[in-house]
Amino acid sequence: MATFLYRLGRFSFRKRHFVALFWVALLALAGAGAAGAPAAGNSSFSIPGTEAQKAFDLLDERFPGASADGATARVVFKAPDGQKMTDPGNKAAVQDTVDELSGGAEVTQVTDPYQGGGVSQDGTVAYASVTYEVPGMELEESSREALKAAAEDARDSGLTVEIGGDALQAVPETGSAEIIGIGVAAVVLVITLGSLLAAGLPLLTAIVGVGIGVATITALASTLDLGSTTSILASMIGLAVGIDYALFVVSRYRAELAEGREREEAAGRAVGTAGSAVVFAGLTVVIALVGLSVVNIPMLTKMGIAAAGTVAVAVVIALTLIPAVLGYAGRRVRPAGEKSKLLGGGRAKDTADKPNMGTRWASFVVRRPLAVLLLGIVGLGAAAVPAGSLELGLPDDGSQPTSTTQRRAYDLLSEGFGPGFNGPLVVVVDAQGSDDPQAVFQQAGDEIKALDNVVNVAPAAPNKAGDTATIAVIPDAKPSSAATEDLVHDIRAAGADIKDGTGAEVLVTGATAMNIDVSQKLNDALVPYLVLVVGLAFLLLIVVFRSILVPLKAALGFLLSVLAALGAVVAVYQWGWLSGLMGVEETGPIMSMMPIFMVGVVFGLAMDYEVFLVTRIREAHVHGEKPAQAVVTGFRYSARVVTAAAVIMIAVFSGFIGSSDSMVKMIGFGLAIAVLFDAFVVRMAIVPAVLALLGAKAWWLPKWMDRALPNVDVEGESLAAHDGAADKDDEDKELVRA
């Protein structure tokens, strides 16, 4: 592989005009496709194999036109102090609001609080329910604006009016997070590469790659039913790895220049060595993202595959466009150790032989490997302790900031009707095969009333055929509580008994039940996902490092860093530690997607750092250095670059902590802290300590396996032949001149 990539790098350097034109044309083509594509809404959300989804499908079949998965809104009214919602003036204002909402284009039904029991017992709070024909993420913006306008009109009458429900659920926006990340990345790249031009190359090529990926996703969004969140994930991951991969190639190019090689040769060498690491690091990210398909949530599968495609584009750009733009830059990209005049370069260097920070740190670790290893493991182990109390769930309006109308509506409903009113359960009774459906409906309602944690059970509402009915159940506890989850399981257990006795099927659905089912599905998929992703990456790393123990150490170190990161997330977002500093207004269960999402993204990035760092160490070992010295050599060349890459990632992810969306905030913190732990504790401390303790045994591989495995030559050992060829060419040229 190293030889092929070496030739590809030299070709791209020489034929820079052709390569640059190709990528510009591809970007223009993708952009034109995106501009001409129909505007896509959001990916249809379905959770195959869950009871809640089965009930939704049954409602669509038995209650045609009811829009079972349609968006809902609750317009909550509170009377001024000393007044009640039943006062004539307040009642008239509510009626005007109901009439105004009923004329909405996508509205299917609006319930009058005075006819549907929507007034609290003390008369101070009332609500009107609005049902739409499409899911919340697919609502037209005009429908949301009409909803807000109706609420504002009611406020003018003196009422306190807030809006809850998923009708106001908008497409998530990244805000300034990407700008902040790019800004920090630019500063770190300038410091690392010592040149404004050299720093600009990774940013430029990463933006080109993200542009192609996002534009392609936009162009295909309508055809492939890709949601808007797909492009956000693709841009975040693509920007992260795009900068990383380009940084590694540019850094290696400058190192080759510092060894006295000509620029074309240096470009070939950089792609042949660092480029090999880029290929395998990219493969681990792709495996992690495509592996999300094992969860069997179509939306998550599409997001993972689309993001994996963007990563693949970033890999190819690093191998071709980077050497091409290096050819354009010429002598303005300086050898390693030299800075541009603008940054203080051009002065005589008196510290040429002074060990850099990476060398000094690695030397310290190899002298005291056991102490460093124990300190790293104990520290991460302590951070991981809170993960034992992990509670999973999906956020609801109760986790929104108090400044939002959704959260204020949630609090008003809890005040007037109890906390469980914010998470009603919908029980669907399918009595099509029963002799007496009405008796089954009555039995189901009675058994549910007898359960714990139930506040109210509405009478069964059958369909026109009379063979299926819905029963609304109000829990005693808030939607995200363990008590409500227990109630869902209790209703399903009672439903199983009813089915045994009558043949009727009892299903629980609704937003709360769907959240519980999604959490369970993600939780069940975590172990198979870990086995698949870590297993495939383990096999891949055996091929890369030609070792059993090094990949095993990489996988175990990753698991340790992820557990520590999950522990930090639990401590902040579930226990409330440092919640004020992190802007956490409401603690509660950890988002159910968090563990599997963190595993996928962080595993890919962690293996990036592992591959880039350890391939440099193995390269030194393969070229004859003793194990301990190889560790120091690897850190001398790689520690600075890996540190810079990690700082960039942490900055990108940290930018999302300031989001007003609790889910985005949690993801940003979790990924940032995971990269911090993995890059600076696992890769920078535990990895060199383990390699120092293992010595030459770290690179042990059974002979039969050594013969069976393909030799991918990530270290570029085969490029030694090109040194001889280059020397012979130089001699021939000298003879010709003579």
Side-chain angles (χ1 to χ4, degrees):
M1 174 179 284
T3 301
F4 169 76
L5 294 178
Y6 166 80
R7 292 170 179 165
L8 179 63
R10 295 195 64 167
F11 170 84
S12 300
F13 188 95
R14 285 197 311 272
K15 305 294 184 180
R16 62 186 74 103
H17 302 311
F18 169 78
V19 173
L21 182 63
F22 170 80
W23 284 110
V24 170
L26 192 59
L27 179 61
L29 183 63
N42 291 276
S43 179
S44 54
F45 189 77
S46 63
I47 315 295
T50 63
E51 180 173 314
Q53 184 64 50
K54 182 179 179 181
F56 268 127
D57 296 339
L58 185 63
L59 286 174
D60 280 338
E61 176 188 340
R62 305 286 174 84
F63 293 81
S67 301
D69 60 347
T72 59
R74 279 177 170 175
V75 183
V76 187
F77 308 89
K78 183 176 182 180
D81 292 340
Q83 298 182 24
K84 293 185 179 296
M85 290 305 303
T86 51
D87 293 346
N90 295 334
K91 192 171 182 179
V94 172
Q95 189 60 56
D96 290 342
T97 304
V98 170
D99 293 341
E100 184 177 350
L101 290 170
S102 298
E106 297 177 297
V107 174
T108 59
Q109 183 182 12
V110 180
T111 60
D112 187 326
Y114 301 102
Q115 298 178 6
V119 182
S120 63
Q121 287 186 353
D122 62 5
T124 60
V125 179
Y127 74 93
S129 292
V130 186
T131 306
Y132 294 87
E133 60 188 20
V134 296
M137 294 291 284
E138 297 179 17
L139 269 183
E140 296 288 341
E141 191 60 32
S142 58
S143 295
R144 293 194 181 96
E145 292 302 324
L147 179 62
K148 295 175 184 176
E152 193 60 40
D153 291 342
R155 290 189 187 103
D156 292 340
S157 67
L159 297 173
T160 298
V161 185
E162 304 296 346
I163 306 170
D166 61 351
L168 290 185
Q169 183 180 11
V171 175
E173 297 179 358
T174 57
S176 59
E178 290 181 358
I179 298 175
I180 294 172
I182 291 175
V184 173
V187 173
V188 174
L189 288 170
V190 169
I191 294 173
T192 304
L193 299 177
S195 164
L196 292 175
L197 179 64
L201 296 183
L203 287 175
L204 173 65
T205 56
I207 291 172
V208 170
V210 169
I212 292 172
V214 172
T216 303
I217 291 170
T218 304
L220 299 175
S222 179
T223 304
L224 301 181
D225 190 27
L226 302 177
S228 56
T229 51
T230 303
S231 60
I232 293 176
L233 176 64
S235 64
M236 181 174 68
I237 304 300
L239 184 65
V241 300
I243 295 175
D244 271 12
Y245 297 163
L247 170 61
F248 286 120
V249 174
V250 172
S251 298
R252 186 59 185 255
Y253 171 76
R254 296 178 71 237
E256 297 293 337
L257 289 179
E259 294 183 8
R261 291 190 169 87
E262 292 296 325
R263 295 187 178 274
E264 182 181 328
E265 176 67 14
R269 288 273 178 165
V271 176
T273 51
S276 297
V278 164
V279 170
F280 284 98
L283 277 175
T284 61
V285 181
V286 169
I287 288 172
L289 291 171
V290 174
L292 290 171
S293 59
V294 303
V295 183
N296 195 27
I297 296 179
M299 182 183 70
L300 196 59
T301 299
K302 294 173 184 177
M303 289 171 63
I305 293 174
T310 305
V311 171
V313 171
V315 170
V316 180
I317 280 183
L319 301 179
T320 57
L321 187 57
I322 281 291
V325 295
L326 287 172
Y328 284 117
R331 298 186 179 279
R332 285 169 290 183
V333 174
R334 300 169 181 271
E338 293 187 16
K339 296 182 178 180
S340 65
K341 292 182 180 180
L342 183 63
L343 297 174
R347 296 191 293 268
K349 295 188 297 181
D350 56 0
T351 59
D353 298 327
K354 182 180 178 181
N356 61 18
M357 181 64 74
T359 301
R360 295 196 295 273
W361 169 250
S363 299
F364 169 78
V365 174
V366 297
R367 288 197 304 271
R368 298 174 177 83
L370 188 59
V372 172
L373 177 62
L374 291 177
L375 185 61
I377 292 176
V378 170
L380 291 179
V385 169
S389 302
L390 177 68
E391 296 178 9
L392 297 178
L394 287 176
D396 54 26
D397 287 347
S399 61
Q400 296 271 13
T402 54
S403 58
T404 63
T405 186
Q406 294 98 320
R407 172 60 185 276
R408 291 196 292 264
Y410 181 97
D411 291 340
L412 284 177
L413 287 171
S414 296
E415 175 188 332
F417 300 91
F421 199 78
N422 284 290
L425 304 175
V426 179
V427 178
V428 182
V429 183
D430 179 10
Q432 194 174 55
S434 174
D435 296 333
D436 188 355
Q438 193 62 43
V440 173
F441 301 155
Q442 185 65 41
Q443 179 185 353
D446 292 342
E447 293 201 18
I448 294 171
K449 287 178 184 178
L451 297 174
D452 294 334
N453 300 317
V454 174
V455 171
N456 183 53
V457 178
N463 61 350
K464 289 183 179 180
D467 58 3
T468 307
T470 60
I471 302 174
V473 180
I474 305 299
D476 183 47
K478 63 181 183 179
S480 59
S481 67
T484 300
E485 182 175 351
D486 291 340
L487 176 59
V488 170
H489 295 315
D490 290 343
I491 295 174
R492 287 173 173 169
D497 294 337
I498 293 173
K499 184 175 182 179
D500 291 340
T502 65
E505 191 167 18
V506 179
L507 306 170
V508 185
T509 188
T512 301
M514 181 66 83
N515 287 350
I516 292 171
D517 285 355
V518 170
S519 298
Q520 186 62 49
K521 191 175 183 68
L522 288 166
N523 193 40
D524 292 343
L526 182 58
V527 172
Y529 178 68
L530 266 175
V531 171
L532 173 68
V533 172
V534 176
L536 289 176
F538 179 75
L539 296 176
L540 185 65
L541 292 178
I542 289 177
V543 175
V544 174
F545 297 131
R546 306 194 76 77
S547 163
I548 297 292
L549 297 179
V550 171
L552 181 62
K553 173 262 311 167
L556 293 177
F558 157 74
L559 292 175
L560 188 59
S561 62
V562 166
L563 286 174
L566 281 175
V569 170
V570 170
V572 174
Y573 291 90
Q574 187 174 309
W575 291 359
W577 293 5
L578 301 177
S579 57
L581 181 63
M582 295 298 170
V584 181
E585 297 188 18
E586 185 75 18
T587 60
I590 302 305
M591 185 184 66
S592 54
M593 193 182 294
M594 192 71 194
I596 201 163
F597 186 80
M598 185 182 291
V599 166
V601 175
V602 177
F603 181 79
L605 297 178
M607 292 305 103
D608 281 358
Y609 304 142
E610 177 77 14
V611 169
F612 288 118
L613 189 62
V614 179
T615 49
R616 259 302 196 171
I617 296 173
R618 175 168 170 76
E619 182 178 340
H621 179 66
V622 166
H623 292 164
E625 293 188 10
K626 293 182 178 180
Q629 184 56 41
V631 171
V632 176
T633 300
F635 268 71
R636 180 168 74 245
Y637 290 114
S638 299
R640 180 183 178 91
V641 180
V642 170
T643 300
V647 170
I648 290 170
M649 290 302 96
I650 293 170
V652 170
F653 295 138
S654 295
F656 292 88
I657 297 177
S659 171
S660 61
D661 187 290
S662 60
M663 184 168 62
V664 174
K665 187 191 296 284
M666 189 184 297
I667 289 175
F669 174 80
L671 294 181
I673 200 71
V675 172
L676 176 69
F677 286 154
D678 196 88
F680 292 104
V681 180
V682 175
R683 308 304 153 192
M684 289 293 177
I686 293 178
V687 165
V690 171
L691 291 178
L693 287 171
L694 291 176
K697 295 177 182 177
W699 311 108
W700 172 80
L701 187 70
K703 291 183 179 180
W704 64 269
M705 188 177 290
D706 188 36
R707 292 191 297 269
L709 291 177
N711 184 10
V712 295
D713 189 22
V714 177
E715 300 81 16
E717 189 178 5
S718 61
L719 299 183
H722 292 276
D723 279 337
D727 293 342
K728 188 175 186 307
D729 289 343
D730 291 340
E731 292 175 5
D732 291 343
K733 291 177 183 177
E734 290 297 330
L735 289 173
V736 170
R737 292 193 189 100

